Amino acid sequence: MGPLILCGTVELDALEKRIAGLRSEIRAAKAAGDHATVRSLRAELRKTERAWDDALEPEPEPAKAPLLPVREQVHQALTLLGVPTAAKMIVTVNEAFFAGHITTSQLTSLRRDEEKSFRTSPYARPYYLCAALTSELLSPARGLLAVSTWPLPSRIIGPLSPRADFLTSATRIAEHIMRLTGAGEDASPSAYRLLTRMAQNIPGAVDGFDQADPAQVIAAAGAELAVHEESDTDERGEAARRAEQQLNEVTRLFGAGLKTARTA
Amino acid sequence: MTRLDTLRGPAAPLDHNARTIAALAVNPGCDRRALLDAAGIDKQRTATHLGYPAPFGQSPFAITRAASFDALVKANGCAHLLRLLRDTLDLSISEASYSDISDVGGSDNHQVRHTRTRALLKRAASDGEGAGTLFDHPLLKLGVAGHQVYLEPAIIAFQIEGRFHVVEIKSFAVIDDQADAGQVAAAARQSAVYVYALRALFASEGLDPDRVSHDVVLVCPKDFANHPTATLLDVRQQLAALDRQLSRLTRIDRILDELPVGITFDIEAQSPDEAAKAVSTVDARFAPECLSSCEMALFCRAEARDSGSTDMLGRTARDELGGVESIPTALGLADDSRLPSPEQTEIAEQLRYVRRIYIEAVA
Ligand code: SF4
């Protein structure tokens, strides 16, 4: 056994014993149907497990690392972007701007869980992470997450919407970087990398392989957006009206169609 | 339940894809492959069940790599792809619409998706401006050996000024503007299948099939970075070859007519021996090329070996030996230990001649 582990062995042993003890207590409380105790024991267990992790590998904790639940981290990223977005982009934005650490796999069942929660007690939460709806069939658009409090047209995906939304999100990211620099902070290098990567696919948004300039990105994205905006807005508005008439409160958020769960 | 469903058993049918059709076209004389494919039978699993697992297959790494490159090209509303099409084909800024046909309202039923593919493409072709630019995962159908098959939709159909192109995303690298010739050739053969199927769809909708371009847009990673790049690939030659080969395939009905009644290739219900017997009732035409293109290759090779079939020698030798079916017969004719039948006299004479030269040469 290496010296590294030896030094904390006594502490680790104690923690492991405590963890095992807590687990069986939780099982007992659960069997007895005592939910309040289960909850408090669970919290205690999580704390102990974290202590075990720390004892194993004492880490200089960056004390301000946010411990927001996954859905709140996703909400934060979506609020920055303002448009229905795929999991991968949500993760990237969360990392670049909020030093968050979620993974795409944590998002796979999110929409389904939110739908379940909404069905059991509608509007119990201030917002739900929900689906974007395809303009023609009002079915959930594959792989996109949106926020329930957004106006319905912005949750509709017509043929031009993927492009329009990409341009909008590039703009929002550039604006956020400018907000940060304006407030005397600076955005992380990964935020600039993200903006540059997006800018490379927008005509006139960046010169060669330079780092993108937020103001230039906003101008270029705006110019292209102006080309698509009218037909995109029309299509979304028309579909949103149809959705208001045809869908109920659940399907309006999570989409119509037979297999809502499968396409989540 | 059709006769083909009975042959397959309860397993779900496999889709044809461009690779299987290109491979089928490489060996148009093989009824066995034509029938197994038409019935949507999993040849890989069948070969394994028979004790002859295929000597090839895509590695899981290659599959993951292909999928992640595909996702990259299509991410953010096809941002990369639009840039490439604007650069290489001068696509105008306003043409940016994208429709995904990988499901229709959450249903991935083939018939539904195919109907939708038809409707969207027809509308795009007849409405002119602004009626659609990118159509992802179009589900196409193709008549193969008198039987309609669905094609795995691994492409994007793309319209520019009334002309349609097939966009194929491949994960092999283009380095200094050069790509591996073998991989490009394979990509061209596969893309040709999609062009062919897209043209067939146009024709059946009363649209001019020539509006589907023979120039395919091939998207690959550039150099060693993962940055996508696009090139145009002219597949006219591959189209002509495909057309010729598809027309040479035996009709599936005829193959079915010759099968014994009640036969099935269901591997769940049969022992390896029984299944092997069933598979053997359908004529095969083994050629060394099979080893790189057909999952059944090791089984068929063993079978050809056991029967001493001249197929083992490859297509050229087999054709030269016209009328002589097995290697022992050919050897017998050559050393005079076997009497040629009237139609074999000519080939027998040639074989004896070759044998004389061979003996002189090695003596
Ligand atoms: S391996 Fe067998 S089944 Fe496949 S093409 Fe060759 S002969 Fe036909």
Side-chain angles (χ1 to χ4, degrees):
Chain A
M1 199 173 275
L4 213 162
I5 300 179
L6 244 166
C7 65
T9 309
V10 182
E11 194 192 344
L12 282 172
D13 280 349
L15 285 169
E16 276 163 18
K17 225 192 234 147
R18 180 84 186 111
I19 288 172
L22 280 167
R23 286 208 175 118
S24 56
E25 279 176 59
I26 291 174
R27 269 211 341 241
K30 188 142 200 185
D34 182 354
H35 298 297
T37 313
V38 169
R39 223 171 302 130
S40 74
L41 284 173
R42 274 226 169 110
E44 173 78 336
L45 173 64
R46 233 166 284 137
K47 221 168 72 199
T48 319
E49 282 174 340
R50 231 172 291 136
W52 184 87
D53 275 341
D54 292 348
L56 193 65
E57 261 171 47
E59 233 181 88
E61 258 299 285
K64 55 177 184 169
L67 280 169
L68 284 180
V70 172
R71 72 184 296 269
E72 280 176 42
Q73 295 192 48
V74 171
H75 180 242
Q76 200 172 32
L78 282 172
T79 305
L80 192 167
L81 291 162
V83 293
T85 306
K88 195 151 179 220
M89 183 63 134
I90 293 175
V91 169
T92 313
V93 166
N94 183 46
E95 243 165 45
F97 289 98
F98 305 111
H101 0 250
I102 43 176
T103 58
T104 48
S105 59
Q106 285 176 292
L107 304 193
T108 40
S109 58
L110 201 52
R111 214 162 80 184
R112 214 170 343 173
D113 296 345
E114 295 277 308
E115 180 173 345
K116 230 183 277 160
S117 143
F118 183 83
R119 279 178 191 275
T120 13
S121 45
Y123 305 110
R125 296 171 159 185
Y127 65 83
Y128 291 85
L129 301 172
C130 63
L133 311 182
T134 60
S135 64
E136 230 165 305
L137 298 159
L138 304 176
S139 56
R142 209 171 252 255
L144 297 180
L145 278 171
V147 182
S148 60
T149 50
W150 290 350
L152 192 47
S154 68
R155 283 202 294 114
I156 301 277
I157 302 293
L160 284 167
S161 312
R163 183 65 184 175
D165 285 352
F166 166 67
L167 296 167
T168 305
S169 48
T171 308
R172 307 272 301 222
I173 286 172
E175 285 169 352
H176 193 68
I177 292 181
M178 288 179 81
R179 238 187 330 265
L180 289 174
T181 46
E185 296 173 47
D186 202 4
S188 67
S190 52
Y192 278 103
R193 264 201 306 278
L194 171 63
L195 183 70
T196 306
R197 266 205 318 265
M198 294 177 86
Q200 277 160 356
N201 288 324
I202 303 170
V206 66
D207 308 312
F209 285 94
D210 290 353
Q211 175 169 299
D213 163 33
Q216 191 181 344
V217 175
I218 294 171
E224 187 181 333
L225 195 55
V227 177
H228 308 306
E229 207 156 30
E230 197 187 317
S231 13
D232 186 44
T233 315
D234 285 354
E235 173 100 22
R236 290 179 138 169
E238 186 276 322
R241 277 190 293 281
R242 242 184 312 125
E244 298 281 8
Q245 291 158 8
Q246 296 172 6
L247 304 184
N248 62 35
E249 57 182 16
V250 178
T251 48
R252 214 175 296 148
L253 289 183
F254 298 97
L258 300 171
K259 295 187 215 155
T260 347
R262 208 190 57 81
T263 44
Chain B
M1 196 146 134
T2 68
R3 184 95 196 268
L4 290 173
D5 291 331
T6 321
L7 286 177
R8 187 183 60 248
L14 283 193
D15 278 349
H16 255 295
N17 57 41
R19 202 160 13 92
T20 61
I21 293 193
L24 187 59
V26 166
N27 193 359
C30 178
D31 289 357
R32 180 175 297 167
R33 179 174 181 129
L35 185 64
L36 292 175
D37 280 351
I41 289 170
D42 188 334
K43 295 199 294 304
Q44 176 75 56
R45 285 190 54 214
T46 306
T48 309
H49 186 67
L50 301 179
Y52 294 94
F56 56 84
Q58 253 188 317
S59 81
F61 296 110
I63 293 174
T64 317
R65 186 175 146 68
S68 74
F69 183 66
D70 191 81
L72 172 77
V73 173
K74 294 178 182 171
N76 302 320
C78 289
H80 273 298
L81 185 58
L82 284 173
R83 167 179 57 82
L84 294 170
L85 295 173
R86 288 167 178 180
D87 289 353
T88 43
L89 288 165
D90 284 328
L91 180 69
S92 74
I93 298 286
S94 61
E95 307 288 316
S97 96
Y98 170 84
S99 308
D100 187 0
I101 325 178
S102 49
D103 66 87
V104 178
S107 157
D108 56 5
N109 176 285
H110 280 14
Q111 186 56 50
V112 175
R113 289 173 58 201
H114 179 67
T115 310
R116 175 133 177 97
T117 302
R118 264 178 189 276
L120 284 179
L121 290 176
K122 183 166 187 197
R123 189 167 76 195
S126 22
D127 278 9
E129 294 290 295
T133 304
L134 297 169
F135 302 92
D136 200 359
H137 306 111
L139 193 60
L140 302 173
K141 241 184 188 177
L142 188 65
V144 177
H147 176 76
Q148 291 289 318
V149 297
Y150 288 109
L151 269 184
E152 186 186 280
I155 52 147
I156 297 181
F158 155 63
Q159 186 207 186
I160 176 169
E161 288 165 8
R163 251 177 113 60
F164 289 75
H165 293 260
V166 162
V167 177
E168 179 123 45
I169 301 170
K170 290 282 175 193
S171 60
F172 57 81
V174 175
I175 296 160
D176 288 337
D177 295 326
Q178 297 278 311
D180 180 276
Q183 284 180 310
V184 175
R189 269 199 306 274
Q190 291 167 25
S191 302
V193 175
Y194 288 115
V195 174
Y196 193 89
L198 204 50
R199 286 187 171 171
L201 185 150
F202 270 53
S204 72
E205 288 291 341
L207 298 160
D208 179 7
D210 282 340
R211 288 179 64 186
V212 180
S213 169
H214 54 249
D215 282 329
V216 166
V217 182
L218 181 64
V219 179
C220 297
K222 187 177 167 59
D223 300 331
F224 293 101
N226 231 6
H227 204 63
T229 182
T231 31
L232 285 183
L233 201 60
D234 181 341
V235 299
R236 252 175 297 183
Q237 217 187 326
Q238 288 78 6
L239 276 171
L242 180 69
D243 192 30
R244 202 166 346 105
Q245 288 150 342
L246 286 179
S247 66
R248 278 172 56 200
L249 288 176
T250 318
R251 292 186 56 87
I252 295 294
D253 314 351
R254 227 214 55 216
I255 303 176
L256 283 173
D257 283 347
E258 287 172 4
L259 282 187
V261 276
I263 196 163
T264 170
F265 304 135
D266 182 3
I267 54 172
E268 308 296 339
Q270 297 188 98
S271 72
D273 277 350
E274 290 164 335
K277 247 216 211 107
V279 170
S280 300
T281 54
V282 193
D283 281 343
R285 169 95 41 108
F286 179 79
E289 291 86 343
C290 292
L291 288 171
S292 62
S293 61
C294 181
E295 291 87 344
M296 300 299 293
L298 293 183
F299 176 78
C300 297
R301 183 175 70 177
E303 182 191 62
R305 243 183 218 159
D306 285 350
S307 65
S309 160
T310 54
D311 287 351
M312 283 293 302
L313 306 174
R315 223 165 286 155
T316 327
R318 184 193 65 214
D319 291 349
E320 298 232 337
L321 285 170
V324 181
E325 296 228 320
S326 77
I327 298 172
T329 312
L331 293 174
L333 291 174
D335 67 11
D336 258 337
S337 63
R338 214 187 153 104
L339 215 56
S341 64
E343 63 281 0
Q344 286 171 339
T345 38
E346 200 178 323
I347 182 79
E349 206 171 301
Q350 283 175 18
L351 283 167
R352 281 195 297 270
Y353 177 66
V354 173
R355 178 165 183 271
R356 258 198 323 276
I357 297 182
Y358 176 76
I359 289 172
E360 276 167 28
V362 293

